[in-house]
Amino acid sequence: MTGSVSIIGLGPGNALQRTPQADQALSRATDLVGYGPYVQRVEASASVVRHCSDNREELDRARHALELAMQGRHVAVVSGGDAGVFGMASAVFEAVDYGPQAWRTLDITVVPGVSAVLAAAARLGAPLGGDFCVMSLSDNLKPWPVVLRRLALAAEAGFVIALYNPRSKARPTQLGEALEHLRACLPGSVPVAFARAMGRADEAVRLATLVEADATWADMSTLVLIGCAASHLIPRPDGRVWLYTSRKVEAA
Amino acid sequence: MTGSVSIIGLGPGNALQRTPQADQALSRATDLVGYGPYVQRVEASASVVRHCSDNREELDRARHALELAMQGRHVAVVSGGDAGVFGMASAVFEAVDYGPQAWRTLDITVVPGVSAVLAAAARLGAPLGGDFCVMSLSDNLKPWPVVLRRLALAAEAGFVIALYNPRSKARPTQLGEALEHLRACLPGSVPVAFARAMGRADEAVRLATLVEADATWADMSTLVLIGCAASHLIPRPDGRVWLYTSRKVEAA
């Protein structure tokens, strides 16, 4: 009786952006484990057991999945977007690292998905045309001064900066502080995009300059993209705008 | 006669990692435009015109796609992985930015895909568990000193670093220089992964420490991942190893 854990990225929000590999892995699962809204998003037969949990319990959830697999279950651990980008993959391997030796014999695979940053970029144009970085703005697992320092270094490097978890009810002030910090490092004319709920029915995009950008435009479902000196807007006759970052970088 | 341009990420290398949205967009195309090997990877009816070009001609290729769309054709511009990450998306919008005003009226969409960095990370475990950056090591469009400076800043920030285009016949020495540069910024024990041809039949992975890592292990199809202080290896009883980066960051 050998179980397995498959850690699956469901893509940004609609089934058209989920890979056939993810569907295949889901179809083999006897158990679905994850944050409630992601587990509920998966269509599965009635025999599949759904284990929903709260958003803050990643490590407990990971251990639960590994225990189920040790009992011979085929567990699909699901995340939105890509499970390796601020999703469940790291929590599962952390649980293995600190868990019983037997967990290392388990069949554990990760199925990649289209991450939110890629979906947001596609919706906007081509803002990731150059080098970029991807950061979580949450300070649940890292000190806030580290976040601010990383933002300053990323701006100095000329990276486009993608921010996950920009704002929540429990962390209402951090995006404002981050934007203020970046205004000291970058030209105020740099474009900033707020991309909300990509691929879902309530998808929305808002563009501004760094000077104008207002943290209250973001919520838990928003990805915030900070452009760089090589990021440009292309206005269109119908009033819409494309955002792209030039591949060419001038000498510093 | 209204044409369109759809810029499509085909995913890393096999159809299971290509989204249904990409397949839908491909099925509407009258013309396929892209680097030869990507165009050849697409199954299409005999009536679809394939326009293959060399790897170095992105801007010409982009203009050609836009001209075809102006003639009423439905053009699919294809890239491996995600078209927004060192793929064709930025070149197309750059062509629009500097092209005739009429191109701004065109229906241009980007379909995101699973990028090589996400496929490589999934294959390795969860190396992107924390903040990370994605860089191209090519100096075709940016000065080499800018590349080295960005590497140093990324290392100082504690980012995991994903390197696209690490090495080619025309640029045989740069990955070696980059690794040497990083050895001056990071502990020699930091894990480095070479992930080659993800999702293809000749897929291969090699792990080492930063001190041991050898640039000649990489070629044009390799993604190189440089870990950070929070990156750890998990040895397994069968000799294989998982690589993950802890979500938790200690105070600096």
Side-chain angles (χ1 to χ4, degrees), chain A residues 129-142:
Chain A
D131 300 332
F132 64 96
C133 70
V134 178
M135 293 180 55
S136 169
L137 214 58
S138 167
D139 64 347
N140 290 338
L141 292 159
K142 66 189 163 197

Side-chain angles (χ1 to χ4, degrees), chain A residues 16-18 20-21 90 97 104 106 113 118 131-132 134-136 141-143 150 157 235-236 244-245 249, chain B residues 16-18 20-21 84 90 97 104 106 113 118 131-132 134-136 141-143 150 157 235-236 244-245 249:
Chain A
L16 283 175
Q17 295 183 331
R18 184 191 306 168
Q21 191 183 25
S90 181
D97 199 10
R104 301 184 182 210
L106 279 170
L118 301 184
D131 300 332
F132 64 96
V134 178
M135 293 180 55
S136 169
L141 292 159
K142 66 189 163 197
R150 288 182 173 184
R236 302 173 64 188
Y244 84 103
T245 298
V249 177
Chain B
L16 283 175
Q17 294 182 332
R18 183 190 308 169
Q21 191 182 26
S90 182
D97 200 9
R104 299 184 183 210
L106 279 171
L118 300 184
D131 301 330
F132 64 96
V134 178
M135 293 179 55
S136 168
L141 292 159
K142 66 189 164 197
R150 288 182 174 184
R236 303 172 65 186
Y244 83 104
T245 299
V249 177

